Amino acid sequence: QVQLVESGGGLARPGGSLRLSCAASGIVFSIYTMGWYRQAPGQERELVARIRPGSTTNYADSVKGRFTISRDNAKRTATLQMNSLKPEDTAVYYCSAEKGSAYWGQGTQVTVSS
């Protein structure tokens, strides 16, 4: 059974930082592309960042230079370091494991507000 469990969401001030983690089980983690997506109220889910098995990455333009995605194959985790947070980063953040089709976590709320 595949499980992706996100953690690390919460409330941050504008300009602050949060670190999201995704712990995976039930998959051969090292061969999956890991992604972070987000969905704000009334909006479609959008890609935030993606890291491939060889650790190449891509980011949404809105987060480039502020967010960093990484992976630890030994620990089967994917991490999203979010710095210089803005109110528009407020959303539910989802972890994905992609190889053809995708598995999804349950999501973690990130709220950026003063």
Side-chain angles (χ1 to χ4, degrees):
Q1 181 181 357
V2 178
Q3 281 193 312
L4 300 176
V5 180
E6 300 102 334
S7 61
L11 175 65
R13 302 293 190 193
S17 298
L18 285 173
R19 185 178 179 91
L20 305 183
S21 292
C22 173
S25 60
I27 58 172
V28 181
F29 183 84
S30 61
I31 65 173
Y32 277 76
T33 291
M34 300 301 296
W36 285 97
Y37 291 72
R38 66 187 181 188
Q39 187 168 17
Q43 298 187 20
E44 294 187 354
R45 191 174 297 188
E46 63 174 0
L47 174 68
V48 175
R50 183 185 282 137
I51 184 166
R52 293 171 179 78
S55 293
T56 56
T57 59
N58 62 283
Y59 296 89
D61 287 343
S62 59
V63 307
K64 282 180 181 177
R66 300 188 298 121
F67 291 10
T68 302
I69 189 171
S70 59
R71 65 189 298 156
D72 185 328
N73 289 339
K75 295 183 178 179
R76 304 164 66 85
T77 59
T79 300
L80 185 68
Q81 177 66 44
M82 304 186 295
N83 299 328
S84 302
L85 283 162
K86 303 176 180 180
E88 52 263 43
D89 294 320
T90 296
V92 178
Y93 284 69
Y94 296 91
C95 173
S96 70
E98 304 164 22
K99 184 173 172 58
S101 57
Y103 297 104
W104 295 93
Q106 80 287 351
T108 186
Q109 177 69 46
V110 170
T111 301
V112 183
S113 175
S114 56

